[in-house]
Amino acid sequence: MDSTRPSPRTVAKNKGVGSARANVLADNQNVHKAVWAYESTQLFLQLIADEIVEGNRPFMVLSSAGYKSLAKKFEKKKAGKKHDVKQLKNKYACLKREWTAWIKLMDRTKGITGIGFDAETSMFQASDEWWDRMELINKSCAKFRTKTLKHRELMEIVFTGAAATARHH
């Protein structure tokens, strides 16, 4: 049976001046490509901590109003570089995964043993064999073999109580 469609399905171009698609495209034209440097991440976490204090995290995750407020404040502080809510949610989820992995390594009562922690360098110390096994089990934890958790104090404020670890995961 032959198809009468001349080409595969495509999204129609702007159908009219007042179309919803045209409005969405106009709103997103100024969205900045997210580049998360050290300072940007620090500002992001500080703004989330402020939103938590303002009551915009009722159920351990920012509300829609909280994310909209966060986006506006982030744009204002970053000299007009606009990030949409999806970009901010993705960064939040990424940082939360890092925090959860860090906490698993820090909390020896949850079953991970055979490592030490150097408070001076903020690095974990374990044998190469232990890290090799960890890489097979949990790649999120394994990345702390060669690096430390940045913005640790802010992450503690933002994610303590909001991230499920081990037993309650």
Side-chain angles (χ1 to χ4, degrees), residues 123-139:
M123 296 287 291
F124 292 101
Q125 299 174 338
S127 67
D128 289 336
E129 295 81 24
W130 189 92
W131 283 115
D132 291 341
R133 278 184 283 135
M134 180 52 67
E135 194 165 352
L136 294 172
I137 298 168
N138 188 333
K139 288 189 182 201

Side-chain angles (χ1 to χ4, degrees), residues 44 48 60 67 88-96 159:
F44 177 70
I48 291 174
M60 296 302 136
Y67 271 114
L88 299 177
K89 283 183 176 184
N90 287 342
K91 184 60 178 177
Y92 181 87
C94 180
L95 291 171
K96 190 173 181 179
F159 297 119

Side-chain angles (χ1 to χ4, degrees), residues 104-105 107-115 130 134 141:
K104 282 183 181 181
L105 290 173
D107 191 356
R108 292 181 190 99
T109 63
K110 300 232 185 321
I112 297 177
T113 59
I115 61 172
W130 189 92
M134 180 52 67
C141 288

